[in-house]
Structures are given as structure tokens and as C-alpha cells.
Amino acid sequence: MTKPTAVSLSVVRRLPRYYRFLGELLKGGCNRISSKELSEKMGLTASQIRQDLNCFGGFGQQGYGYNVQALYDEIAKILGLDKQQKTILIGAGNLGRAIVTHLDFSHLGFDLVGIFDNSDELVGETVGSLTVSHVDSLSEFCHENSPVIAILCIPKNAAEALADSLIELGFKGFWNFSHYDLAIDYHGIVVENVHLGDSLMTLCYRVKNNPSNNS
Amino acid sequence: MTKPTAVSLSVVRRLPRYYRFLGELLKGGCNRISSKELSEKMGLTASQIRQDLNCFGGFGQQGYGYNVQALYDEIAKILGLDKQQKTILIGAGNLGRAIVTHLDFSHLGFDLVGIFDNSDELVGETVGSLTVSHVDSLSEFCHENSPVIAILCIPKNAAEALADSLIELGFKGFWNFSHYDLAIDYHGIVVENVHLGDSLMTLCYRVKNNPSNNS
DNA sequence: TAGATTGTTAATCGATTAACAATC
DNA sequence: TAGATTGTTAATCGATTAACAATC
């Protein structure tokens, strides 16, 4: 009822990038931009920008272009960055700890409320402003706090073993750094996979097959 | 001459995933699989698998399917994982350190040979089997060791400031965690971007607009 | 008003899926 | 040989680009 037609994932994935570029423009004191100018800065076509934005409504003005601040705010609202979702991290190893300290969750639409691990060495440690709890207390924590997003920084088999209960506990979305493919086993659940190894292997291929290098 | 037609990026990006699933099958003792079976495990169509693989040659056998080990080895070769490329990390902060300790570079086609940072606090520290050097010594290091891949775990402005000299020093590929868009300014250079913030924002949108939740 | 640039429709392009003949 | 499954061509689908009328 709120959404006439579902917006394609290709379009959605470009929104954060628009958001970043508009943020930069704002910082630089730019308050007006045409799809043409923006397209040149971002390395895509003006047509695509206009098509993308028009999935969500007409934010521009003929003959003028787009108001940078207004468009920036609009995209934040579309992405839903304004209302934070309660989030937990599962797996407080190197990667998990680095990720939660590296990113500013509150500005990205998330509110990190808990960190869990199964290692006694890590339980009790402080990460950012939170203390690592044992994963055994996860269920109780969820019943009390109802987090909806889980960041999975655990190995494949651990993720696989935990999946059922996570779904049971009501999680709606997963930011998945493990190699376990949640999206296949649990249909309708939103999963953003960050497969660092896959990304590296792709880089490997692309460098070795780059047409610009006459190799 | 080695490549008749360039393989599309969509196909290339699926290769690491095939590689992972085949690896799992091997571990499980499976030595033969049809595109149909594999497609069900991976959540895509059998047609797509056959199309993808046939970009690189005919690895199957009619009436039989694919030999798992042979296909696994073949994909490793296609990706170029067999010959490691000299790689350095620039930026030894939380994220940079976590990434290099988290991943097994040698199995992914890379040989990490140096780590650099501009902070005196980090220079001299040990990360994995390497010692962090000051970024001022980067140029000298490159002339001596000729690394071709750089992992960028530094802020946008630092990446921007460094870009010219990195290109100059002969880097062929970048694994980019910064928000600076190298690919726009340096055409023909291979860049794999890992935009964690973008991924999170996409997750935010998708959870809030998930048709499976009747919200 | 004239110029600029949007919103939107139509055309193109590429990627995915379906179909089936070839063949193990 | 009969059954199974590939390699490959053709059909479909979706995403990107181009064009242009609407309008600020």
C-alpha cells in the first residue's frame, strides 16, 4: 500500500553511493546540482540518476536541477537511516571488533545494543561502549531487548548451527560475514553478504585479465 | 589473443561462489555433481551454471555432470589463485589489521609482503608475520619489491592524496575500503571496492521494505 | 520569453532462463 | 541401447541509455 511497485535491488544498491556523493557536495558548500554534473562526478549516466531517483518521486525541478540538501535528506529517509534498528554483533574476533569500532552505526540506521561470543577469553572484554557477553545469554537478551538485526562475524559452521534459533528469536536482517548462505535456507529473510574472500578472488581475476594491461 | 571475448563481470563475480561451494562438496566427499544439483544447493538455475562455466570451456560431460575436483581446480586456475601477486596493506588501523589477520591471503592468490601506516604509534608493531613500516618508506619499498596490489584501509582524503603516487609506483589493482573512488580518476586500473557503510545502508533499506514482513 | 533540465516514454542493450539437439 | 545431462542456441526478461515533451 505504501509501495506501488518494488524498487529493483540494482537501484537500491546505488542509493548509498548517491548519499555519499551528495554528502561530499554538501560539505563542499554545493547546494544545487544537475543530473548531468552529478553523473560526471560519479561516473554514470545522467539518465540513470534521473531514472533511479524517480523510483521514489520527483525530487528535482525542471530547468534547475536538484537541491543538494533536500535530496540528501530525502535519500536518508528512503534508506531509513532516521529510525535506528536494534542490532547485535555475534562473534567478537578480530574482524567483528574492527567492524563495530570502524563504523558509525548510529548514522547508518543502526543501534548496536549487544555483542556476543562463545569464547571465554573474549567474554567480559570491552568493545567500544559495550561488554562482550557469552552467546549462551543471547536468547534471554533477545527476549528482553528484541534486537532485529544481527551481524554475523563467526565461522560458517557456527552460523549454520545458530541460524534456526536466530530466526526463532525474531531477527529480520543479517549482515553476514560468514560463508554460510542463510538466504538459501531461510526464504524471505533479508541478508546482506559481505564475502571478503570472494571480493579478493574477483580482484585477482580482474587484475590478471585486465584488457588495459597488454598481458 | 588468450581471451576470445571478455567475460562479463556478472559471471566473474559468481566464480568465487562456485569455488566455495565446490570446495564444500569436496570436503563432504562428493566427487560428481550435475548442474541441476548444484543449482539447487546454490539457489540459482542450472542454465546459469552451465552458461557461466561455458564462458571458460566445457568442463562437464554429457550424461554425467561435472567432476567436482576437476572443476574446483579449473576455477582456481581461471581465477588465477595459483600464482600469488605481491600485495601490501596501507593503513594498519583496526580494520586493516583485522582484515589481514582474518583472511588467508596465500590461498586467495595474494602474497602479503608489506604493511604501511602514517602513525608513529603503529609503526614497528607486528601484524601477523609482518612489521608495520612508515608510509614514507613506501616508495623505496616498492622500487625494491615491486608489489602490484594495494589494500587501502585508510580514510578518503588519505587515499585521494596517495593515489597519484600509487599509480606511479606501478600498482595494478586495489582492494579499496576507503570512500575514495579511485576507479573514476584512474581509468583502466582495477579496483574492488568494499564499501561496508553502503552495504549496511542497503541492509537498512531492505529490512524496512521487505515484502515478506507485512509492514 | 528563452534556456536549461527535469520526468517519463521508447529503444537498446545485456543478462538470465528455457529449450533442445548433441553425446557420453 | 536408453537415460541423463551437457553445451549451445533461441526466447525472455530486466536494466540501462537515449530521446523528448513538459515545465520551471
Side-chain angles (χ1 to χ4, degrees), chain B residues 124-206:
Chain B
E125 288 260 317
T126 302
V127 178
S129 58
L130 294 166
T131 303
V132 180
S133 304
H134 197 281
V135 79
D136 286 347
S137 65
L138 180 59
S139 169
E140 194 191 331
F141 178 90
C142 292
H143 288 305
E144 280 171 20
N145 297 278
S146 307
V148 288
I149 308 286
I151 305 172
L152 304 180
C153 287
I154 50 183
K156 182 182 196 295
N157 57 333
E160 224 162 339
L162 219 50
D164 269 337
S165 57
L166 292 174
I167 302 295
E168 186 84 12
L169 288 168
F171 285 93
K172 302 263 180 280
F174 296 89
W175 202 30
N176 180 36
F177 289 78
S178 88
H179 287 165
Y180 168 55
D181 220 316
L182 267 161
I184 290 176
D185 297 344
Y186 302 90
H187 201 69
I189 285 292
V190 174
V191 182
E192 264 303 291
N193 291 306
V194 182
H195 291 317
L196 296 172
D198 288 15
S199 174
L200 257 188
M201 288 188 264
T202 304
L203 177 63
C204 187
Y205 176 92
R206 291 177 63 202

Side-chain angles (χ1 to χ4, degrees), chain B residues 9 17 38 84 121 176 199:
Chain B
L9 193 53
R17 191 150 177 272
L38 187 57
Q84 295 170 3
E121 283 180 23
N176 180 36
S199 174

Side-chain angles (χ1 to χ4, degrees), chain A:
Chain A
M1 195 148 283
T2 333
K3 44 180 165 27
T5 320
V7 175
S8 87
L9 193 53
S10 329
V11 173
V12 173
R13 288 200 188 286
R14 280 192 292 268
L15 291 178
R17 191 149 178 273
Y18 290 135
Y19 186 67
R20 275 195 285 120
F21 273 82
L22 290 166
E24 288 293 325
L25 285 169
L26 270 184
K27 263 201 234 167
C30 171
N31 49 25
R32 167 191 165 178
I33 196 155
S34 70
S35 56
K36 179 106 192 306
E37 287 175 280
L38 187 57
S39 74
E40 281 157 6
K41 281 190 195 301
M42 295 187 64
L44 31 81
T45 65
S47 233
Q48 182 162 64
I49 293 177
R50 295 205 299 278
Q51 285 276 28
D52 284 353
L53 297 178
N54 276 90
C55 293
F56 304 97
F59 305 125
Q61 192 172 323
Q62 276 104 330
Y64 174 88
Y66 298 86
N67 177 294
V68 178
Q69 180 75 60
L71 188 55
Y72 180 78
D73 294 344
E74 204 60 58
I75 294 181
K77 221 189 299 172
I78 292 165
L79 286 169
L81 309 184
D82 47 336
K83 278 170 206 143
Q84 296 169 2
Q85 306 183 84
K86 281 193 194 174
T87 303
I88 63 161
L89 166 69
I90 305 180
N94 288 321
L95 189 65
R97 293 198 311 277
I99 279 162
V100 302
T101 51
H102 182 75
L103 291 166
D104 183 354
F105 283 93
S106 63
H107 283 127
L108 296 165
F110 300 87
D111 179 19
L112 192 71
V113 295
I115 301 181
F116 298 85
D117 202 289
N118 67 359
S119 147
D120 289 331
E121 283 180 23
L122 287 169
V123 170
E125 288 260 315
T126 302
V127 178
S129 58
L130 294 166
T131 303
V132 179
S133 304
H134 197 280
V135 80
D136 287 346
S137 65
L138 181 60
S139 170
E140 194 191 331
F141 179 90
C142 291
H143 288 305
E144 280 172 19
N145 297 278
S146 306
V148 289
I149 308 285
I151 306 172
L152 305 180
C153 287
I154 51 184
K156 183 184 194 295
N157 57 332
E160 225 162 338
L162 219 50
D164 269 339
S165 59
L166 292 175
I167 302 296
E168 186 84 11
L169 288 167
F171 285 92
K172 301 263 180 282
F174 295 90
W175 202 30
N176 180 36
F177 288 78
S178 88
H179 287 165
Y180 169 55
D181 221 316
L182 268 161
I184 289 177
D185 297 344
Y186 303 90
H187 203 69
I189 286 290
V190 174
V191 182
E192 265 303 292
N193 291 306
V194 182
H195 290 318
L196 296 173
D198 288 15
S199 174
L200 256 188
M201 288 188 264
T202 304
L203 177 63
C204 186
Y205 177 91
R206 292 177 64 203
V207 168
K208 292 189 176 174
N209 295 272
N210 184 1
S212 302
N213 306 334
N214 52 340
S215 58

